[in-house]
Amino acid sequence: MSEVAVPSLTTIPVELVYRILDEMTPKCIMLSLGGVCQRLNDITDTYAPYQEFNHIFLKAGGMDLEGFAPLANALKFNQTVTKFEFIGDHIDRTGAEMLANALCINRTISIIHIKTNRFDPEGVRALGNSLRFNQGVTTVDLDTCTAGAEGAEEFFRALTINRTLRDLDLEVNYLCDDGTRQLAEALKVNKTLITLRICHNWIGSEGLQAIAEALKVNRTLKTLSFHNESVVKEGAIALAEALKVNDTLTSIEISWGGTDTPGIKALAEALKFNSGLKNIDLENSHMAPVGIQALAEALKINRVLTDISLGSSTICALGTKALAEALMTNQGLTTIDLENNEIDPEGAQSFAQALQINQTLKKVKLGSNKIGDEGSKALKAITRDGLELSF
């Protein structure tokens, strides 16, 4: 008696496999069939609805460690997902290691966004190590993953080897000075990173000085954010000295953490020499009049900066007058944000006069100030074309 052949997914015609796939969601296809055999991988990769499955988004409560294991394994073989977002789920070190193992093999994921997870230093270390082997990821956002200097160490070592990573965000990872020094050493060697955000990391003057030394060497980084870090004293002065020689960085954010008067004066002096920066964000810096005056003097000389944000910086009468005078001669700025300061009617009138003369500014934000009716009247009387003015 002859044996009856039992059809299976590994042998039936492709058309029948497609009909089965029609009854499955893309996520179910990946979790159920990914990695079963090469034939099924080839078939699913050519299945049109599955080719459109390029984004995995897991939110809080959406998956525990037991459910994450098959997903991480499936990512090893998947060739459609390019963006992986994992926000709010409390996956621990083991989950991070699973994801790291997948990234050592996966070549299609280019964006990773992981926020608020219990990865701990060992988990972050595993992810960092995977970047030694992965050559597809271009963007990594590890937000509130408690890396610490210990966990970030492996991450930063990978930066000296990895040749694809372009954007790195390590917001709220407790780097402190030790972790920041490790990052600075990596920046001296790395030649691919373009954007770096190291906000809310409790970085002191020693860490800032290390970053400043790296900026004297690095020639690829274009955007750097210290949002909510205190760039003061020796750290601010060191950063300013670096900006005198670095002409690659085009955007820097030092907002909400603020800087002190010596720091502002040093940064202002650097702007007289810098030939690369186009955008500087100093929002909520609470500057003294002497600091604003120094910045205004720099704006009379600088011809490269196009966008400056000085919102919530306690700019009062003396600072307002100095900035208005600078705008009469500055021919580079196209956008200036002065919202939520102490600009009075007289200051608004000074700006109105300056804006009649200045022909390069396109956007001026003066909202939430104390300009009064007289100041508002003067600003409304501006007849310049192509100016977007809000107050």
Side-chain angles (χ1 to χ4, degrees):
M1 187 173 181
S2 60
E3 294 183 1
V4 177
V6 179
S8 72
L9 283 173
T10 59
T11 59
I12 62 176
V14 173
E15 292 75 14
L16 289 179
V17 177
Y18 281 165
R19 291 181 63 180
I20 295 171
L21 297 181
D22 287 341
E23 303 301 319
M24 302 171 69
T25 64
K27 185 177 179 181
C28 182
I29 292 172
M30 185 180 77
L31 293 176
S32 303
L33 304 179
V36 170
C37 68
Q38 188 58 49
R39 180 173 186 264
L40 275 180
N41 287 346
D42 294 339
I43 292 173
T44 54
D45 287 342
T46 58
Y47 178 60
Y50 188 63
Q51 289 178 324
E52 298 175 1
F53 179 53
N54 57 17
H55 181 196
I56 292 179
F57 175 68
L58 303 175
K59 61 182 180 180
M63 184 171 290
D64 56 16
L65 188 60
E66 184 178 353
F68 187 69
L71 174 62
N73 186 65
L75 286 174
K76 295 178 182 178
F77 309 98
N78 178 273
Q79 295 187 36
T80 62
V81 174
T82 59
K83 184 176 183 179
F84 181 82
E85 288 189 272
F86 199 20
I87 300 175
D89 270 335
H90 297 292
I91 299 300
D92 60 13
R93 175 193 307 178
T94 304
E97 291 172 346
M98 291 177 181
L99 178 59
N101 289 336
L103 291 176
C104 288
I105 299 172
N106 183 285
R107 291 294 180 270
T108 56
I109 293 177
S110 60
I111 300 173
I112 298 174
H113 182 193
I114 300 172
K115 182 176 181 179
T116 318
N117 276 274
R118 295 186 294 109
F119 279 2
D120 77 23
E122 288 301 317
V124 175
R125 184 191 297 271
L127 285 174
N129 186 59
S130 71
L131 293 179
R132 292 172 176 262
F133 306 96
N134 182 284
Q135 295 300 317
V137 173
T138 61
T139 300
V140 172
D141 181 354
L142 291 183
D143 189 338
T144 321
C145 290
T146 61
E150 180 185 353
E153 181 179 5
E154 194 66 31
F155 215 99
F156 298 147
R157 284 178 181 171
L159 289 182
T160 65
I161 300 172
N162 183 282
R163 293 293 179 265
T164 60
L165 194 63
R166 300 287 186 271
D167 306 299
L168 178 60
D169 187 338
L170 293 174
E171 186 171 349
V172 195
N173 274 282
Y174 306 97
L175 296 180
C176 302
D177 280 342
D178 286 345
T180 306
R181 279 194 294 263
Q182 295 166 10
L183 170 60
E185 289 303 309
L187 290 177
K188 292 178 181 179
V189 180
N190 180 277
K191 298 185 184 303
T192 58
L193 204 62
I194 295 173
T195 302
L196 175 63
R197 287 177 54 83
I198 45 176
C199 315
H200 302 274
N201 274 290
W202 292 270
I203 302 171
S205 288
E206 290 184 11
L208 289 170
Q209 286 173 300
I211 291 292
E213 287 303 308
L215 290 177
K216 293 178 181 179
V217 179
N218 183 285
R219 288 294 179 266
T220 54
L221 196 65
K222 293 186 177 298
T223 300
L224 177 60
S225 176
F226 291 112
H227 179 77
N228 211 45
E229 299 289 349
S230 294
V231 182
V232 297
K233 300 179 180 178
E234 294 85 356
I237 294 170
L239 183 62
E241 288 300 310
L243 291 178
K244 288 181 181 180
V245 297
N246 180 297
D247 58 1
T248 309
L249 204 64
T250 60
S251 179
I252 189 167
E253 180 185 13
I254 313 175
S255 60
W256 289 93
T259 185
D260 53 8
T261 297
I264 284 292
K265 292 177 70 174
L267 287 171
E269 187 66 19
L271 290 178
K272 295 178 182 179
F273 300 92
N274 182 278
S275 60
L277 272 179
K278 294 185 178 300
N279 174 61
I280 186 167
D281 187 344
L282 294 167
E283 185 177 359
N284 201 52
S285 291
H286 300 290
M287 301 178 197
V290 66
I292 288 290
Q293 288 172 320
L295 200 57
E297 287 302 310
L299 292 179
K300 292 178 181 179
I301 298 172
N302 184 288
R303 293 291 182 269
V304 181
L305 201 66
T306 61
D307 191 329
I308 187 168
S309 178
L310 298 169
S312 304
S313 292
T314 60
I315 299 173
C316 55
L318 288 175
T320 301
K321 182 180 179 181
L323 283 173
E325 289 179 359
L327 293 181
M328 290 184 181
T329 57
N330 180 281
Q331 297 298 314
L333 282 178
T334 59
T335 301
I336 186 168
D337 181 354
L338 294 164
E339 289 188 330
N340 197 31
N341 280 290
E342 304 293 328
I343 301 172
D344 59 15
E346 185 177 349
Q349 291 171 338
S350 296
F351 274 117
Q353 293 172 5
L355 293 175
Q356 291 284 23
I357 297 172
N358 183 295
Q359 297 298 308
T360 55
L361 273 168
K362 303 298 181 185
K363 187 173 184 179
V364 179
K365 300 171 72 173
L366 292 169
S368 301
N369 277 286
K370 301 176 181 179
I371 63 175
D373 292 339
E374 290 301 314
S376 179
K377 181 180 178 180
L379 292 170
K380 287 179 180 179
I382 297 174
T383 57
R384 252 195 58 197
D385 291 333
L387 177 63
E388 181 183 338
L389 177 61
S390 58
F391 55 90

